[in-house]
Amino acid sequence: MAPIADLPSPQVPELGFSISHQKVELDIDLLSQRLKGRTEITINPHSRDLKNVRLNCRQCELTRFSVNGRPAAGVAYEDPYSRTTLPWRAGIHQYHMLQQRLEGSLKDPPEEELVITLPRNIRIDELDPYSEEAQNLLLSKTLGGTKRDSGDGSAIDLTQSSRTAIEQTARFTPITLYIEYIVEKVRDGMHFVGWEEGDFRYPHAYSTNSLSPGAACCLFPCLDELTSRCTWEISIKCQRTIGDAFQRSSRSSTQMQVKSTSGMSNGINGGHRPPSVDDKYRSFSDEDKALDLAVICTGDMTDEIIDPQDPTRKTTSFICTTAISSQHVGFAIGPFEHIDLAEFRESDEDDRLGQNAVPIHGFCLPGRVEEIKNTCLPLAKAVDFFTMTYGAYPFSNYKICFVDDLHPDILDTGSLSICSNRLLFPEDVIEPLDRVSRQLIHALASQWIGINIVPKEPSDTWVVVGIAYFITNVFMKKLSGNNEYRYNAKRAADRVIELDVDRPSLYDTGPLITLDPSELEFLELKAPLVLFILDRRLTKAGGSSGLSRIISRIFLNARVGDLPNSAINTPYFVRTCEKLGHLKLDVFIAQWVEGAGCPKFQVSQRFNKKKLVVEMMIKQVQAENIKDRDLDSRIFMRDVKEERNAVYAGPIQPAFTGPMTIRIHEADGTPYEHIVEIKDAKTTFDIPYSTKYKRLKRSRRQKERTAAASGIDYNGDGNDDALLYSLGDILQSEEEMKEWQLSEWSKEDEERMNQESYEWIRMDADFEWICRMSVQMPAYMYVSQLQQDRDVVAQLESLQWIASVPPHPLVSTVAVRTLMDQRYFHGIRTAAAAILTRNARDELGWIGRVHLEKAFQEFFCYPDSPMTRSNDFSDRASYYMQCAIPLAIAKVRDANGKSPFLVRSFLLDKLKYNDNSNNEYSDCHYLAVLMRALAEAVASKPAPTMHDVDEFEDDGGDDQHFFDTCLEEIDRYRRIDEWIPSYHNVLSTTALDCKRMLAKAGIVDTTAADFLEYTQDGTSEYLRLNAFANLMDLGMAKNNAMLRWFLFVLSTDPSPFVRQQMLLIFGRTLGAIAIGESSEAEEGKAAQQDGLIIEQEGSTEGRKADLARKQTIVGALNALKDELSANGVLKQEMWKALKSPSLSLQHMGELLDICELLYSPETEMVVVLKYPRYWQCKKTGKGKVFFSRSNRIRTTPMPKRQVLPPIAVSTHPPIKRENSTPMPPPIPRLSFKPLKKPTVQRTASTSSMDSVPQSPAAGGEGEAPKPLKLKLNFGKLKGAGGAGSP
């Protein structure tokens, strides 16, 4: 594959201008959620021919605009939110018509909504970019007179960066646009919390930025593109205190009456009532009313002025002197408490940095100060590390603010990170420590790259994401240690190998990150790993400091202006690496960035005694035995979107090339490293053998064991005692081996070990590959690697191979020694516990279960007693083991796939007698582990029936009473959580998960009401989402009432986080229905309840359809349509959801995508006509009658009245009529007067016409026709419908 060329990629049409500075003023009424704003945009034309300026602008009502102080020649603007409904009666089958109306706004990048035509008298002259006039002009626009003469460092930096900008863009006379606008009801771009009736949280509001364009332009007109960067001046005007915000009820309540009835989800019937402002105001205490509303925004605060005309309002101004995009402008307004997080900086660091120390400010809602101090503890250390390692911080300070209802966990904006309160945790909670710390460190790292430096094209996103997470992981290594760092890297590599199947390359994944959340998750997983192995190769090849030096140079180039627009692309990154690392990276980039997939190696080795070499063969097998991947309901929507958008997987690479380090641990214990070059799919080579000593380590071990049994201290001073055992050398005495039922190597194994010429061979010892390695070595070599190699990656690789071998007592012995040795890293011990589960077999005497239970008793119980000691979580490694062992025991199964009674009894006792009275840490997560383990074990055994009495009598007391006891114990903790809430209600959510597991296994009978009570408004968002997820997992999507409630909450809930999670749950539910998971669960449950399994051969077509349903997108979508397309309730509620005013455009787009899966489009417009109504009359007396329309409608047509056709003059003889029947008289009466005979009945008419000849049939046969004279008289009618006079 050819390397990436530095060529321009396909782009949208050139706009013809760039923005150098933008000034934004927002006047926000928090109670009515109304916004009034104005913006001043300084535009640098790229040519003299600029006629139109195209900007992004949504949900705004423009009131005034000018160009250089003159009225614009023309303004074209169409708000995309005005196109969110069809202006005629339509249904779900017209979804495509709505999709077409929103297509321009949903694509990436979206179409510009605002087009301003420049006046003809605006001249655009070319300027000398180095002239004083050009520099002063742009600098005055950029600085705004704020810091120009202040003499501080930021002004100097701004001047330098602005001069660089002048050289690049200021070639023509700048143009100033001035726009005033109003947003009557903010729908997108900003979220309000606590302002509604029934919401008792502290009121606050914040901007909601997103990866996809369209959020920033909802608050002010701008160029909503990541690469459109400029400096900013921002002024925000709002109420001064909470009391001031709610005291404006006289003016705001009227506006709130027009608030949509579906803005919140307080009930299913009536939507949401407008808030009673007076009641809300009275609900606050005087102390809360006096809380100041702080404004936190991107940039540096310059002033805060109270409005002289209205002392209840204030204006806070900010300036951002670093050029950033509109997507990285954010702010928050609320009664935030301020915490100086720089006080956690160590004194020596503070002295060393001096004035270069970056101020760190934390903001949280009242009452959460201690939580933010505990959560943000590493930030001060991290910002100092990044500054010293990678260069100066790009802004003057760093702010972090925690809010409610935030959809992503963190929103990255310039110098400000808006974070969700879900990340906060108290100091007595252990579980989220590592995860949350890494998220916050990454948010800080994004200020350097992600905000200050952005990708030039979407395909270059991997560079920005990879570097940000790489430097995050480097600091986490400093924070948590090298073992944690390498262990997490190995686990991430294994995860990438598992996921990188039928996926596009890193380079092609960048443009897809807005397609589905899993695309960005994969990019965040693989990109830093690719940089990790690149760092290993650069360090080894060039002898330099690796990638850290290169990243530091990139940051420096961006700061001094050598990186144009601070936008990095892949060729620039590659050139920098090659220049500083002195290594060509064409092949590396082609394989790991442009290419997809990961290599899989099979290694075989043999020692040649004659040549004294190790003969090795490395074969790559990633292109062999490729199987079709079964669809997964969790990623079903991603697969569908990729299929619809023609996203294709990268081709499988037959061979990856590059250097690989092989470390051979020879007989004397000395490791010898050899670097080989992998150049083909099959590589063979010889490695020279260095040691001349025989392998005598096993004899040393035997001497140690013999001496220990005799009570003699064995020192070993011979040459054959050069090797020392460091790990796993516990439980060696005869008494311990007997007590623990341990096994030892057989004599044959010992003899074979003594004949080996080396201890073990370690492939890829320096972790330079993301690969799956299968090395053909004897088991005792893997055990040697586990016990003697101090690298945690080598130990994990050994355990992964040991886990793949068949169960054996010796395997259990090695695993339990690893588990019991506290010198091992806790992740290695956890993996050893999982291996013991596989060795808990009846044919082995349940040795794995015995070892697990004995290990738990040894660590956490009283001596010689199964009673658990009081919890002590002060040692984190011990805490992780206390959680891992019960989970491993819960997975023990007998030959029938059922959990033994002793396992369930063990778990029940540990849950029942848990004691946390003397522990300074919360045990909520540990209890959740025990509850989940018990439910998993119980769910493996079907509920007892009348036919199973004998079986339960022989099962040691396993009866209905035991099941009831387990359920009661789980429910007891759920009730406790209602009175004493745990962290994030983890006990209640776990109890619901347990109930769902038991219900799917047929243990308990559940109804929707068991979960429905937790879906109500006012419940914790974790509980609500968990309840909805469990309901959908139990197949409640086929319940129309539940489906109606689910879609109502999805479309009307005020929390964007809840709406997004509900969409994800809906996607997983559709995936489960499409691939048949719900059908299989129902069939399995029915089989268990009936106690009878009927096996029946299906038809060939049925089996093919079932296979296609599980493996192909087309088959799954056809099955999904068959299941749901005819559901009338789903059609109705989906269409209601699409019309909800609470949904953002992004969520509407996702619902429209779902409609595309379920329904066939029908292009039609339904014409609606009103039924006619009958008239009624009423006599009012004195000759008056009152006519009015009645409520009675007519649904059938009236009978046709007989009306004579127009009479034409004919030349035929007149018709002779005899004994003719009189006709019913119509309203106009006609009279016929013959000249002689016969007489014809007259009709009401007053006008005369020419005579009409008679028909021959009217007279006698052969009689000459008689002329007939017709006279029509028109006059007044007599009576109601009577005949008139002739």
Side-chain angles (χ1 to χ4, degrees), residues 38-206:
R38 52 191 175 189
T39 182
E40 184 179 294
I41 306 175
T42 302
I43 289 177
N44 289 330
H46 292 174
S47 68
R48 295 180 179 180
D49 301 329
L50 181 64
K51 303 298 181 183
N52 299 319
V53 175
R54 307 176 67 88
L55 298 174
N56 298 104
C57 182
R58 297 183 179 182
Q59 75 180 9
C60 299
E61 179 184 343
L62 304 181
T63 58
R64 182 184 175 189
F65 34 82
S66 63
V67 181
N68 285 354
R70 305 172 186 176
V75 176
Y77 172 62
E78 184 178 9
D79 184 9
Y81 290 94
S82 64
R83 304 193 299 267
T84 55
T85 56
L86 296 178
W88 59 84
R89 177 173 292 187
I92 196 65
H93 288 283
Q94 285 75 54
Y95 71 88
H96 65 293
M97 306 176 77
L98 181 59
Q99 202 171 33
Q100 292 170 0
R101 290 167 63 90
L102 300 176
E103 183 179 3
S105 301
L106 292 176
K107 69 180 183 180
D108 189 11
E111 297 176 354
E112 294 81 10
E113 297 85 5
L114 176 61
V115 181
I116 300 176
T117 304
L118 301 181
R120 294 184 178 180
N121 53 4
I122 296 293
R123 293 185 57 185
I124 302 177
D125 298 327
E126 187 171 1
L127 298 176
D128 180 7
Y130 299 99
S131 66
E132 183 178 358
E133 177 187 1
Q135 295 180 11
N136 292 336
L137 181 62
L138 188 58
L139 286 176
S140 62
K141 295 290 184 180
T142 305
L143 292 173
T146 304
K147 291 191 175 184
R148 181 84 179 273
D149 300 323
S150 61
D152 59 359
S154 62
I156 297 175
D157 293 341
L158 175 62
T159 303
Q160 297 297 328
S161 62
S162 299
R163 291 185 187 276
T164 304
I166 293 171
E167 296 176 2
Q168 298 172 358
T169 59
R171 296 180 54 237
F172 299 91
T173 307
I175 298 173
T176 302
L177 297 182
Y178 180 81
I179 304 174
E180 291 185 3
Y181 58 94
I182 296 175
V183 180
E184 290 293 345
K185 177 66 174 66
V186 177
R187 176 171 177 175
D188 259 352
M190 192 173 177
H191 182 58
F192 298 83
V193 181
W195 303 96
E196 304 286 348
E197 182 184 15
D199 192 349
F200 299 103
R201 295 174 291 180
Y202 282 102
H204 59 284
Y206 53 89

Side-chain angles (χ1 to χ4, degrees), residues 1010-1024:
D1010 297 331
F1011 300 90
L1012 195 60
E1013 59 178 325
Y1014 296 100
T1015 64
Q1016 300 295 323
D1017 242 358
T1019 309
S1020 165
E1021 59 186 9
Y1022 309 99
L1023 270 176
R1024 294 185 69 198

Side-chain angles (χ1 to χ4, degrees), residues 993-1042:
D993 289 338
C994 294
K995 186 176 293 187
R996 184 250 310 159
M997 283 192 291
L998 297 174
K1000 294 185 73 173
I1003 303 297
V1004 295
D1005 293 328
T1006 59
T1007 61
D1010 297 331
F1011 300 90
L1012 195 60
E1013 59 178 325
Y1014 296 100
T1015 64
Q1016 300 295 323
D1017 242 358
T1019 309
S1020 165
E1021 59 186 9
Y1022 309 99
L1023 270 176
R1024 294 185 69 198
L1025 294 171
N1026 181 271
F1028 274 120
N1030 285 322
L1031 282 170
M1032 295 297 105
D1033 195 20
L1034 290 172
M1036 293 297 175
K1038 297 182 179 180
N1039 184 311
N1040 289 336
M1042 184 57 58

Side-chain angles (χ1 to χ4, degrees), residues 473-545:
N473 295 337
V474 170
F475 175 76
M476 291 301 296
K477 174 184 177 181
K478 181 179 179 64
L479 190 67
S480 303
N482 187 60
N483 279 347
E484 186 87 30
Y485 174 66
R486 291 182 63 84
Y487 175 79
N488 290 335
K490 175 59 178 174
R491 293 288 301 273
D494 293 340
R495 182 64 176 160
V496 167
I497 295 169
E498 179 184 350
L499 294 179
D500 200 359
V501 179
D502 296 334
R503 301 192 73 130
S505 65
L506 276 182
Y507 191 77
D508 295 331
T509 303
L512 306 177
I513 58 175
T514 58
L515 187 67
D516 189 79
S518 62
E519 303 286 1
L520 179 59
E521 293 174 2
F522 177 73
L523 194 67
E524 293 172 343
L525 184 66
K526 185 176 180 180
L529 265 180
V530 171
L531 295 185
F532 173 80
I533 64 174
L534 176 61
D535 175 66
R536 304 300 300 168
R537 297 191 183 187
L538 288 173
T539 303
K540 178 175 293 187
S544 62
S545 57

Side-chain angles (χ1 to χ4, degrees), residues 103-363:
E103 183 179 3
S105 301
L106 292 176
K107 69 180 183 180
D108 189 11
E111 297 176 354
E112 294 81 10
E113 297 85 5
L114 176 61
V115 181
I116 300 176
T117 304
L118 301 181
R120 294 184 178 180
N121 53 4
I122 296 293
R123 293 185 57 185
I124 302 177
D125 298 327
E126 187 171 1
L127 298 176
D128 180 7
Y130 299 99
S131 66
E132 183 178 358
E133 177 187 1
Q135 295 180 11
N136 292 336
L137 181 62
L138 188 58
L139 286 176
S140 62
K141 295 290 184 180
T142 305
L143 292 173
T146 304
K147 291 191 175 184
R148 181 84 179 273
D149 300 323
S150 61
D152 59 359
S154 62
I156 297 175
D157 293 341
L158 175 62
T159 303
Q160 297 297 328
S161 62
S162 299
R163 291 185 187 276
T164 304
I166 293 171
E167 296 176 2
Q168 298 172 358
T169 59
R171 296 180 54 237
F172 299 91
T173 307
I175 298 173
T176 302
L177 297 182
Y178 180 81
I179 304 174
E180 291 185 3
Y181 58 94
I182 296 175
V183 180
E184 290 293 345
K185 177 66 174 66
V186 177
R187 176 171 177 175
D188 259 352
M190 192 173 177
H191 182 58
F192 298 83
V193 181
W195 303 96
E196 304 286 348
E197 182 184 15
D199 192 349
F200 299 103
R201 295 174 291 180
Y202 282 102
H204 59 284
Y206 53 89
S207 59
T208 55
N209 306 56
S210 63
L211 288 174
S212 56
C217 61
C218 292
L219 300 181
F220 48 85
C222 61
L223 203 54
D224 203 345
E225 294 180 2
L226 193 61
T227 54
S228 176
R229 299 153 59 81
C230 65
T231 54
W232 296 82
E233 287 183 71
I234 304 169
S235 297
I236 298 176
K237 187 175 183 180
C238 64
Q239 288 81 12
R240 190 170 56 87
T241 64
I242 291 180
D244 295 336
F246 284 96
Q247 270 185 332
R248 300 170 59 85
S249 59
S250 59
R251 284 184 291 176
S252 301
S253 58
T254 304
Q255 297 174 355
M256 294 301 294
Q257 295 300 325
V258 300
K259 181 178 176 67
S260 168
T261 59
S262 57
M264 283 187 58
S265 51
N266 291 328
I268 191 172
N269 294 324
H272 312 107
R273 298 172 295 171
S276 174
V277 180
D278 295 335
D279 294 342
K280 184 76 174 180
Y281 177 75
R282 286 191 293 268
S283 66
F284 289 98
S285 64
D286 293 337
E287 183 180 359
D288 290 339
K289 293 176 186 177
L291 290 175
D292 287 333
L293 292 175
V295 180
I296 301 98
C297 182
T298 294
D300 303 325
M301 186 175 71
T302 56
D303 51 44
E304 186 176 87
I305 302 173
I306 297 178
D307 192 343
Q309 298 180 355
D310 186 358
T312 64
R313 299 176 67 81
K314 65 178 180 180
T315 301
T316 310
S317 300
F318 301 84
I319 183 171
C320 182
T321 58
T322 302
I324 59 175
S325 71
S326 59
Q327 299 178 15
H328 292 146
V329 174
F331 61 87
I333 306 172
F336 300 113
E337 296 187 13
H338 172 255
I339 303 95
D340 185 9
L341 297 176
E343 66 183 15
F344 297 107
R345 179 178 283 123
E346 298 178 1
S347 58
D348 57 342
E349 290 289 335
D350 205 358
D351 296 338
R352 185 159 58 95
L353 293 171
Q355 295 183 354
N356 294 326
V358 179
I360 308 174
H361 306 283
F363 298 92

Side-chain angles (χ1 to χ4, degrees), residues 320-611:
C320 182
T321 58
T322 302
I324 59 175
S325 71
S326 59
Q327 299 178 15
H328 292 146
V329 174
F331 61 87
I333 306 172
F336 300 113
E337 296 187 13
H338 172 255
I339 303 95
D340 185 9
L341 297 176
E343 66 183 15
F344 297 107
R345 179 178 283 123
E346 298 178 1
S347 58
D348 57 342
E349 290 289 335
D350 205 358
D351 296 338
R352 185 159 58 95
L353 293 171
Q355 295 183 354
N356 294 326
V358 179
I360 308 174
H361 306 283
F363 298 92
C364 65
L365 295 173
R368 313 202 73 166
V369 172
E370 295 302 321
E371 292 184 3
I372 193 175
K373 287 182 178 180
N374 181 72
T375 305
C376 300
L377 186 62
L379 284 181
K381 190 177 184 67
V383 72
D384 295 341
F385 174 79
F386 290 152
T387 302
M388 299 300 297
T389 307
Y390 302 109
Y393 180 66
F395 302 95
S396 59
N397 59 59
Y398 178 66
K399 302 175 286 290
I400 184 168
C401 181
F402 290 86
V403 297
D404 288 329
D405 289 348
L406 189 62
H407 154 44
D409 287 338
I410 298 177
L411 279 178
D412 297 318
T413 65
S415 74
L416 168 65
S417 294
I418 304 176
C419 306
S420 171
N421 277 330
R422 297 185 300 272
L423 298 180
L424 294 175
F425 62 95
E427 60 182 356
D428 63 341
V429 176
I430 301 176
E431 198 70 24
L433 178 60
D434 293 331
R435 173 181 55 84
V436 172
S437 296
R438 187 171 185 266
Q439 286 181 278
L440 296 182
I441 301 304
H442 174 261
L444 177 62
S446 297
Q447 299 295 322
W448 273 270
I449 183 161
I451 295 177
N452 184 48
I453 300 176
V454 297
K456 187 175 182 180
E457 300 293 339
S459 300
D460 304 315
T461 306
W462 77 272
V463 181
V464 174
V465 172
I467 293 179
Y469 274 100
F470 177 81
I471 64 177
T472 298
N473 295 337
V474 170
F475 175 76
M476 291 301 296
K477 174 184 177 181
K478 181 179 179 64
L479 190 67
S480 303
N482 187 60
N483 279 347
E484 186 87 30
Y485 174 66
R486 291 182 63 84
Y487 175 79
N488 290 335
K490 175 59 178 174
R491 293 288 301 273
D494 293 340
R495 182 64 176 160
V496 167
I497 295 169
E498 179 184 350
L499 294 179
D500 200 359
V501 179
D502 296 334
R503 301 192 73 130
S505 65
L506 276 182
Y507 191 77
D508 295 331
T509 303
L512 306 177
I513 58 175
T514 58
L515 187 67
D516 189 79
S518 62
E519 303 286 1
L520 179 59
E521 293 174 2
F522 177 73
L523 194 67
E524 293 172 343
L525 184 66
K526 185 176 180 180
L529 265 180
V530 171
L531 295 185
F532 173 80
I533 64 174
L534 176 61
D535 175 66
R536 304 300 300 168
R537 297 191 183 187
L538 288 173
T539 303
K540 178 175 293 187
S544 62
S545 57
L547 201 58
S548 294
R549 179 189 173 196
I550 296 170
I551 294 174
S552 177
R553 177 62 63 88
I554 292 173
F555 292 172
L556 177 62
N557 292 346
R559 190 164 63 252
V560 300
D562 289 344
L563 184 62
N565 198 30
S566 292
I568 191 171
N569 60 5
T570 302
Y572 179 89
F573 175 73
V574 173
R575 286 196 305 268
T576 307
C577 292
E578 291 178 343
K579 181 179 179 181
L580 299 179
H582 309 290
L583 181 68
K584 297 298 291 183
L585 298 177
D586 294 346
V587 177
F588 181 89
I589 296 298
Q591 292 177 352
W592 295 102
V593 177
E594 288 183 295
C598 298
K600 298 179 182 179
F601 294 109
Q602 287 184 354
V603 182
S604 59
Q605 46 78 29
R606 185 177 69 90
F607 179 68
N608 191 323
K609 294 183 180 180
K610 293 182 180 180
K611 297 181 181 181

Side-chain angles (χ1 to χ4, degrees), residues 834-1121:
I835 292 176
L836 289 172
T837 300
R838 301 185 67 256
N839 288 271
R841 300 291 184 89
D842 189 14
E843 58 269 20
L844 300 180
W846 302 103
I847 187 62
R849 176 183 60 80
V850 172
H851 284 164
L852 286 170
E853 292 180 357
K854 192 165 183 59
F856 191 91
Q857 179 181 356
E858 184 75 16
F859 284 133
F860 311 111
C861 297
Y862 291 104
D864 301 326
S865 172
M867 181 59 65
T868 309
R869 296 194 305 265
S870 180
N871 295 330
D872 181 10
F873 297 159
S874 57
D875 183 3
R876 287 181 61 197
S878 176
Y879 165 74
Y880 291 140
M881 296 313 304
Q882 192 168 352
C883 294
I885 294 177
L887 286 177
I889 294 177
K891 292 179 170 58
V892 175
R893 299 289 183 270
D894 60 14
N896 297 322
K898 301 176 182 178
S899 178
F901 175 75
L902 291 177
V903 168
R904 284 169 278 159
S905 178
F906 172 87
L907 296 173
L908 178 61
D909 291 342
K910 298 303 173 284
L911 181 63
K912 182 183 295 186
Y913 300 113
N914 176 69
D915 178 17
N916 203 59
S917 57
N918 300 321
N919 190 15
E920 61 179 343
Y921 296 96
S922 171
D923 65 341
C924 59
H925 286 95
Y926 173 62
L927 287 172
V929 166
L930 293 178
M931 294 165 64
R932 189 171 285 107
L934 179 60
E936 184 178 351
V938 172
S940 67
K941 186 176 181 62
T945 61
M946 295 301 297
H947 305 286
D948 301 330
V949 176
D950 296 337
E951 177 186 350
F952 286 112
E953 289 178 353
D954 298 337
D955 204 11
D958 192 0
D959 54 8
Q960 184 65 46
H961 175 71
F962 178 81
F963 280 98
D964 295 339
T965 304
C966 295
L967 299 178
E968 175 61 28
E969 195 63 28
I970 292 174
D971 197 61
R972 180 173 72 91
Y973 284 103
R974 181 192 60 81
R975 296 193 302 269
I976 291 175
D977 194 46
E978 293 179 356
W979 292 97
I980 309 175
S982 58
Y983 175 73
H984 288 179
N985 294 105
V986 65
L987 295 181
S988 295
T989 55
T990 305
L992 295 183
D993 289 338
C994 294
K995 186 176 293 187
R996 184 250 310 159
M997 283 192 291
L998 297 174
K1000 294 185 73 173
I1003 303 297
V1004 295
D1005 293 328
T1006 59
T1007 61
D1010 297 331
F1011 300 90
L1012 195 60
E1013 59 178 325
Y1014 296 100
T1015 64
Q1016 300 295 323
D1017 242 358
T1019 309
S1020 165
E1021 59 186 9
Y1022 309 99
L1023 270 176
R1024 294 185 69 198
L1025 294 171
N1026 181 271
F1028 274 120
N1030 285 322
L1031 282 170
M1032 295 297 105
D1033 195 20
L1034 290 172
M1036 293 297 175
K1038 297 182 179 180
N1039 184 311
N1040 289 336
M1042 184 57 58
L1043 189 61
R1044 184 180 291 110
W1045 169 237
F1046 180 88
L1047 291 174
F1048 176 82
V1049 174
L1050 184 151
S1051 59
T1052 63
D1053 195 274
S1055 170
F1057 171 73
V1058 172
R1059 292 199 301 267
Q1060 179 65 26
Q1061 295 301 313
M1062 293 286 283
L1063 275 171
L1064 295 178
I1065 294 172
F1066 194 32
R1068 290 195 296 267
T1069 303
L1070 294 178
I1073 295 174
I1075 65 179
E1077 285 183 0
S1078 57
S1079 303
E1080 292 176 357
E1082 292 175 0
E1083 292 174 1
K1085 184 176 179 181
Q1088 288 181 358
Q1089 291 176 349
D1090 297 340
L1092 180 65
I1093 299 177
I1094 300 177
E1095 296 183 357
Q1096 182 176 354
E1097 289 289 337
S1099 63
T1100 304
E1101 292 76 9
R1103 289 195 299 270
K1104 287 183 178 179
D1106 187 65
L1107 185 62
R1109 180 179 191 174
K1110 295 182 181 301
Q1111 292 186 346
T1112 65
I1113 293 295
V1114 176
L1117 291 180
N1118 291 336
L1120 183 63
K1121 282 187 177 182

